[in-house]
Amino acid sequence: MVFDPASLIFSPASGPVRASSILPAVRENIELHTADGLTLVGELALPADGVVNATLITLHPLPTHGGFMDSHVYKKASYRLPALAGIAVLRFNTRGTSSPRGTSEGIFEEGVGERLDVEAAVAFAVDRGLPNRWLVGWSFGTELVLKYGAVQPVADAVEGAVLLSPPLHRAQDTDLRSWAQAGKPLTVLVPEFDDYLRPLEAAQRFAMVPQAKMVPVDGAKHLWVGEKYAARALNEIASTVLGTEVSLPVKWDGPVAALPAV
């Protein structure tokens, strides 16, 4: 059964924002349609008051290793950022990827066919009139951002990007040079204990992108496990897309929901 965000039941609450806390937003299941005829499934979470300060178009970790639209940093972004920062969050499953929302058509294409998935997500955000659009990639998702975010038709439709744990496996120096030439902002969050690319090497690799802002995160690992590190990632994302330093509230006084028991 496909999860319906309308099934969430909110109750008054006051206290700390927890990993499972779902704050108010206007949430809807969406479908994206790619240029090669696939239907991708996703969710859009909008601020409940209708005022959108920025829009995140999220690209998830490697689906062959458990990555999907519900990977925890993105799920927490959807749960919190509409209410705490007025940020819309678009999450979706790339081709062939499954989650409680459902399964996107197609098969995993090693980051090649997924170019059309990125284009479809950005086109959806444009068509919906969502402002101040930013790409956010995590692990495999950073490869898609780097390869396709600074070239047309995506480049003119986004303000910039945030990268979490970039492995720089599929993305090459030619892709980094495309970002350098585009001049668009690029914030790069690199865990101290990343499995693939650690801060020193990342600084060397991204040196060819003059506008890249390197953010080494002490103690963090590739998967950003732990509330401390997930919260740090969300603060850095919000600060980048809103253009000012943000420290998201850690307490909430208002309606809260939790996922229903399976």
Side-chain angles (χ1 to χ4, degrees):
M1 179 180 296
V2 174
F3 174 70
D4 180 2
S7 67
L8 293 170
I9 298 175
F10 286 83
S11 302
S14 179
V17 176
R18 304 184 186 280
S20 60
S21 299
I22 304 176
L23 307 185
V26 177
R27 296 182 170 86
E28 62 174 298
N29 286 340
I30 62 170
E31 292 184 346
L32 309 177
H33 302 285
T34 68
D36 58 346
L38 301 181
T39 297
L40 314 178
V41 300
E43 181 197 277
L44 177 64
L46 299 170
D49 64 4
V51 179
V52 179
N53 297 320
T55 303
L56 307 184
I57 301 167
T58 62
L59 300 165
H60 59 69
L62 194 64
T64 54
H65 288 69
F68 59 164
M69 63 177 274
D70 283 340
S71 292
H72 76 101
V73 174
Y74 289 165
K75 188 160 60 173
K76 290 168 184 170
S78 173
Y79 288 177
R80 303 177 193 179
L81 294 183
L84 297 181
I87 296 174
V89 180
L90 191 164
R91 300 180 292 146
F92 71 100
N93 290 327
T94 57
R95 55 189 59 206
T97 304
S98 297
S99 75
R101 167 65 183 92
T103 300
S104 290
E105 293 179 347
I107 59 173
F108 176 63
E109 295 188 34
E110 297 288 347
V112 179
E114 284 81 1
R115 175 174 186 160
L116 301 181
D117 302 353
V118 177
E119 293 176 1
V122 172
F124 178 92
V126 171
D127 290 345
R128 288 290 294 263
L130 298 173
N132 192 16
R133 297 175 293 271
W134 290 75
L135 298 172
V136 181
W138 179 6
S139 192
F140 171 70
T142 69
E143 310 276 43
L144 301 182
V145 170
L146 290 171
K147 291 179 71 67
Y148 309 127
V151 296
Q152 301 302 346
V154 173
D156 283 349
V158 299
E159 300 298 322
V162 182
L163 309 180
L164 281 69
S165 307
L168 291 183
H169 286 165
R170 294 170 175 82
Q172 303 297 318
D173 287 352
T174 53
D175 304 309
L176 296 179
R177 283 193 284 268
S178 292
W179 274 91
Q181 183 175 5
K184 290 181 178 289
L186 188 66
T187 295
V188 186
L189 306 184
V190 184
E192 179 182 11
F193 301 117
D194 196 274
D195 296 319
Y196 305 106
L197 189 72
R198 295 190 175 184
L200 180 59
E201 183 183 0
Q204 295 169 344
R205 294 289 304 277
F206 280 95
M208 66 176 59
V209 186
Q211 74 275 23
K213 176 185 176 183
M214 299 296 304
V215 183
V217 181
D218 293 347
K221 297 182 179 180
H222 189 76
L223 296 180
W224 299 84
V225 173
E227 174 59 23
K228 172 182 177 180
Y229 300 112
R232 172 70 185 279
L234 295 182
N235 279 330
E236 294 288 352
I237 291 169
S239 296
T240 297
V241 305
L242 297 178
T244 187
E245 187 172 350
V246 172
S247 182
L248 297 168
V250 295
K251 294 184 178 180
W252 175 258
D253 184 7
V256 175
L259 289 175
V262 179

